[in-house]
Amino acid sequence: MKKKKGRYQKSDPKKTKNREYTSYEDAPLREYSDAEPMPQNLTKKFLKVFLILILSVIAVLALLNLDNLTPEKISHWLHYDLLGKTEGNGYPVRFNGTVIEKGNFSVMDKSVVYCSDTSVVVLNSNAGEYQNSQHSFANPIMSSNPYYSIIYNCDATGYMIINRDGVVHKESSEKKIFEADVAPNGTYAILNHGTDYLAELSVYKNDNNKKYAYSFADYYVNNVSINNDGTRAALSGVSANNGSIISVIYILDFSQSNYLRKYEFDESFIYDVVYLDNGNVFAIGNERSYFIDVENNKKTDIEYDMRSLTDYRTIKGGGLMLALSASSDGHRCDVISINSDGKKEAEFTTDEKVLSMDRRNDKLVVLTPGELTVYTEQGKAISEKTVSSDSRKAYFADDSSVYILGTSKIFKENIKTEK
């Protein structure tokens, strides 16, 4: 009787001699391993080339983003972006405190910053808190740029400076504060009530050491705007002469003991002044506004033509927006957009009262009761969006979204920027 072949019994070589496969179970390891491994010196060369390419890419990115490679921004990226220290649950979100004045709501580098009656808060794009700092100011007023905000207690002495992540400096001035402003490099200016003078300006470097001081004897100077690199400031003030109002604009250079420019205006009151990034200045008044070409010492009046100013928005990098109405109730506003060279770019009419305006690059947004409209820089309406009926102020978050301040909440709305 023939034995049955076992499952793992070798086959007859004569019957399998023409088969073309090899069993790795029977062959030694050296016969099917890689016979020609990569030379060690070639591997090292490859790694060196790869490392050089990576370092080159990092160097190029660093050069392109040199302004962003500050210790503060690197620390912020590590704590918040990389480690996810704060996330947030999205907008709308209720704000801390009872009330936020319209002027105390702004944007710092795409983040919401606001000062309520109790707190200074910075929120990321998803409403996560970067910081929440308490204050005890009875009349807080805030001025912001993309890197810093200064909050001061108007007609009192306290002030504080913050960045996105926390309080940078907190101090009390010796005299009561009219107004304050801070530059993107951290240089800041405090405008105080004077003792021997009507007003006194003190300018500090970002290490809080005083770098400049100026006293005003003839005018109650109550507005200050510091320029982009913290080397100059524009100020406005008011006085009286035989029962008439006289306003003034000073341009100060911190390297000079006397003022650089001085402009006086009869029968006009200046609400605000802004030093633009390109070195020009806007002053917003009750009867008209003014554009000042500082370097060429030229002043241009921006007439309201019998219309009342209902709202305005100054953009240091973009110019001025005015909302003017011929109606006593402020409805049917004419919106005027003027660039940072003093040239009118657009003028268009809205049927409703303008509550807030903003500009980003070549797009404008206008907030009216319950509605947000996007315009081109020439004044052509691109899109309209229904928003909360209690909306009070709007700011661009980025090219396609807007932050909106309500009476108790902060909203974020996506917008169409192309028709």
Side-chain angles (χ1 to χ4, degrees), residues 64-74 76 106-113 120 122 130-131 142-151 160-169 181-188 206 227-230 277 316:
L64 292 174
N65 295 275
L66 195 59
D67 293 339
N68 293 323
L69 295 179
T70 62
E72 293 84 0
K73 287 206 168 188
I74 292 172
H76 180 90
S106 189
V107 173
M108 290 174 62
D109 194 19
K110 300 180 182 180
S111 302
V112 167
V113 57
V120 182
V122 182
Y130 283 148
Q131 71 159 301
M142 183 179 73
S143 177
S144 300
N145 63 57
Y147 305 102
Y148 295 98
S149 290
I150 186 167
I151 301 95
M160 59 195 293
I161 298 171
I162 67 165
N163 60 18
R164 280 190 304 174
D165 301 335
V167 177
V168 176
H169 183 63
D181 195 24
V182 61
N185 64 2
T187 300
Y188 62 96
N206 58 7
N227 72 343
N228 192 49
D229 57 4
D277 289 348
K316 286 195 170 186

Side-chain angles (χ1 to χ4, degrees), residues 6 19 23 26 45 63 69 74 86 95 106 124 141 159 174 181 242 261 292 295 405:
R19 299 174 72 172
S23 170
D26 297 330
K45 287 181 180 179
L63 287 172
L69 295 179
I74 292 172
T86 182
F95 57 73
S106 189
N124 67 11
I141 296 180
Y159 68 92
E174 293 181 1
D181 195 24
N242 297 323
R261 303 275 189 264
I292 299 173
E295 295 305 317
L405 173 66

Side-chain angles (χ1 to χ4, degrees), residues 24 27 40 57 70 82 87 102 110 168 171 179-180 182 219-220 239 245 248 283 285 302 305 359 365 375 377 406:
Y24 288 142
Q40 191 171 1
V57 171
T70 62
L82 183 63
E87 293 180 357
K102 283 178 63 174
K110 300 180 182 180
V168 176
E171 190 63 82
E179 201 180 56
V182 61
Y219 289 88
Y220 288 97
S239 185
I245 293 176
V248 66
I302 304 168
D305 296 328
R359 173 176 181 160
V365 291
Y375 295 88
E377 60 184 343

Side-chain angles (χ1 to χ4, degrees), residues 158-213:
Y159 68 92
M160 59 195 293
I161 298 171
I162 67 165
N163 60 18
R164 280 190 304 174
D165 301 335
V167 177
V168 176
H169 183 63
K170 194 171 185 178
E171 190 63 82
S172 288
S173 179
E174 293 181 1
K175 301 169 184 176
K176 292 181 179 181
I177 301 172
F178 276 125
E179 201 180 56
D181 195 24
V182 61
N185 64 2
T187 300
Y188 62 96
I190 305 290
L191 186 60
N192 296 103
H193 296 245
T195 302
D196 300 323
Y197 296 90
L198 297 180
E200 298 174 357
L201 177 73
S202 298
V203 181
Y204 300 85
K205 296 184 288 186
N206 58 7
D207 60 4
N208 306 305
N209 289 316
K210 185 182 285 190
K211 64 179 285 186
Y212 181 80

Side-chain angles (χ1 to χ4, degrees), residues 187-316:
T187 300
Y188 62 96
I190 305 290
L191 186 60
N192 296 103
H193 296 245
T195 302
D196 300 323
Y197 296 90
L198 297 180
E200 298 174 357
L201 177 73
S202 298
V203 181
Y204 300 85
K205 296 184 288 186
N206 58 7
D207 60 4
N208 306 305
N209 289 316
K210 185 182 285 190
K211 64 179 285 186
Y212 181 80
Y214 195 93
S215 299
F216 303 90
D218 300 323
Y219 289 88
Y220 288 97
V221 176
N222 54 8
N223 290 301
V224 58
S225 177
I226 197 166
N227 72 343
N228 192 49
D229 57 4
T231 59
R232 291 181 176 181
L235 304 98
S236 68
V238 65
S239 185
N241 184 22
N242 297 323
S244 298
I245 293 176
I246 301 176
S247 291
V248 66
I249 295 173
Y250 288 97
I251 308 296
L252 300 181
D253 188 311
F254 302 153
S255 66
Q256 301 179 18
S257 59
N258 201 4
Y259 57 80
L260 179 67
R261 303 275 189 264
K262 181 181 178 181
Y263 306 91
E264 293 179 310
F265 312 92
D266 293 332
E267 299 294 335
S268 181
F269 183 82
I270 305 298
Y271 293 133
D272 200 0
V273 63
V274 59
Y275 217 126
L276 302 174
D277 289 348
N278 68 349
N280 295 325
V281 169
F282 276 115
I284 297 90
N286 63 330
E287 299 288 341
R288 61 186 59 82
S289 290
Y290 307 93
F291 171 77
I292 299 173
D293 180 343
V294 175
E295 295 305 317
N296 295 307
N297 196 18
K298 293 181 179 179
K299 177 182 68 70
T300 304
D301 292 4
I302 304 168
E303 298 292 346
Y304 295 166
D305 296 328
M306 304 300 292
R307 296 168 293 182
S308 299
L309 180 68
T310 62
D311 193 54
Y312 69 92
R313 169 81 168 98
T314 58
I315 305 103
K316 286 195 170 186

